[in-house]
Amino acid sequence: MTDAPFHHGPTSASMVMNQSQSRPEIASTSDGYSMSVGTPLTRAAGLLVLPATAFLAAAPVFVTRSTLQDLCLVFLLAGLAQCWNLMAGYAGLVSVGQQAFVGLGGYVLFALAAAGFDPLLAVPVSALAAAFVAVPVGFLVFRMHGPYFAVITWVVADVLRLLFAQAKWLGGGSGMALPRSAGTDMLGLEPVMTLFGVRSAAAREILIYWAALTLIVAVTAGAYFVLRSRLGLALAAVRDGETAAASVGVGTTRAKFQIYLLAAFGASLAGALIFLQKGRISPDAAFSVLDWTAYVIFIVVIGGIGTLEGPILGAVLFVLLQSRLADLGPWYLMGLGALGISVMLVAPRGIWGTIADRFDLHLFPTRRRLVSAKAVEPTAPREETSRP
């Protein structure tokens, strides 16, 4: 018995919301069909997550210091890209002002470190503070829609840059350096120095590397479980048709606002770790639209917007290109532009999006498949929602 046709329309995801209760991965329907997520391949890939994470956690033992820094950059950029992808690819919120939360996270971290807080413990506090600021900012930017939303997010970020440039106690326009005591008294520094037999500077990089690895694991896992929850179903209904979803009772604005706050929290976490690694912050660096938004958009576009695997793949490719071609100067930026244009023309859904469409390969499956009660696995799954 083959799969029943899935009703591809504005209310499909909304109807699924009423059917999924305690287990969103399997939901029974009244006509003998069930809703499932994933395939044997995706479940097998899920078993490799813990060994792969453990392997990456042990990387400081067998990789060089420069490789460790590149991996750290991959994790931080992938975390930023995952947050932007969650907004644009699933909630339809195209922001060009995510650097606002990167800068906020970094500046709050430096302020706490200057006040005597341990910098590692200050990272989640910085993200919470930035997410708190995102609430009133969200009420402002959500008054705009479409391209106006994108513009106002950039305006907010630039206003924050100008405000922090006037804050003399944070270094003003020239910025400030991380206090020396924050680097030498960091939590866990002594055990790492003893374990790896390295100096304090190398031990500090290892701690930040582990924190960046924790960030990308937490952000990806959080995005995955959000998309598997009722909030994820609400986002699916919004992507099918926002007006139709609202007409059947889906809280479209509330769902988008929640995603906006989650993305702000994740971007602030990444921003705090980025500038903790750099050891210095300034308004122009913290609120750089090129470094923390334009490059992030490029990563998501070439990796695959609307997929959880795409931002990770895009971050790996971006760091590889940067490490190999950065010495070319302007030609490097022209090469990135040519690559982005080529990918958009040849594979509009990005590299991973194209692979997923062609081979039905999903390491982090979130789409729901309508399966016959007598079928073991779906034979011809169809997307529950339209792609962005």
Side-chain angles (χ1 to χ4, degrees), residues 211-229:
L213 176 60
T214 303
L215 166 73
I216 184 57
V217 171
V219 168
T220 302
Y224 177 67
F225 286 112
V226 163
L227 295 174
R228 292 282 297 272
S229 67

Side-chain angles (χ1 to χ4, degrees), residues 221-297:
Y224 177 67
F225 286 112
V226 163
L227 295 174
R228 292 282 297 272
S229 67
R230 292 180 65 85
L231 176 57
L233 286 171
L235 295 176
V238 169
R239 286 199 302 171
D240 275 344
E242 185 172 351
T243 303
S247 69
V248 295
V250 178
T252 57
T253 302
R254 181 175 65 250
K256 288 184 174 185
F257 195 80
Q258 290 173 348
I259 293 299
Y260 179 80
L261 294 182
L262 289 174
F265 179 80
S268 304
L269 276 177
L273 286 174
I274 286 170
F275 290 100
L276 177 59
Q277 182 188 38
K278 291 178 178 293
R280 183 171 182 82
I281 192 170
S282 68
D284 290 339
F287 299 97
S288 171
V289 65
L290 177 64
D291 291 336
W292 315 129
T293 297
Y295 284 158
V296 166
I297 293 174

Side-chain angles (χ1 to χ4, degrees), residues 12 16 18 38 86 114 124 145 181 187 212 220 269 279 304 328 331 345 363 388:
S12 59
V16 175
N18 299 323
L86 191 62
H145 302 280
S181 59
L187 179 68
T220 302
L269 276 177
L328 298 179
W331 291 101
L345 290 176
L363 301 182

Side-chain angles (χ1 to χ4, degrees), residues 127-138:
L128 286 173
F132 180 78
V133 174
V135 175
V137 171

Side-chain angles (χ1 to χ4, degrees), residues 22-91:
S22 60
R23 296 184 63 193
E25 70 274 8
I26 300 176
S28 298
T29 61
S30 58
D31 54 355
Y33 293 89
S34 63
M35 198 69 61
S36 69
V37 179
T39 64
L41 179 60
T42 59
R43 287 187 282 271
L47 297 176
L48 299 177
V49 171
L50 286 179
T53 304
F55 175 80
L56 290 172
V61 177
F62 52 84
V63 302
T64 63
R65 193 169 174 179
S66 62
T67 302
L68 202 67
Q69 292 172 349
D70 287 341
L71 286 173
C72 187
L73 181 60
V74 168
F75 298 153
L76 293 173
L77 288 177
L80 281 175
Q82 202 69 270
C83 294
W84 191 87
N85 176 58
L86 191 62
M87 290 178 58
Y90 293 95

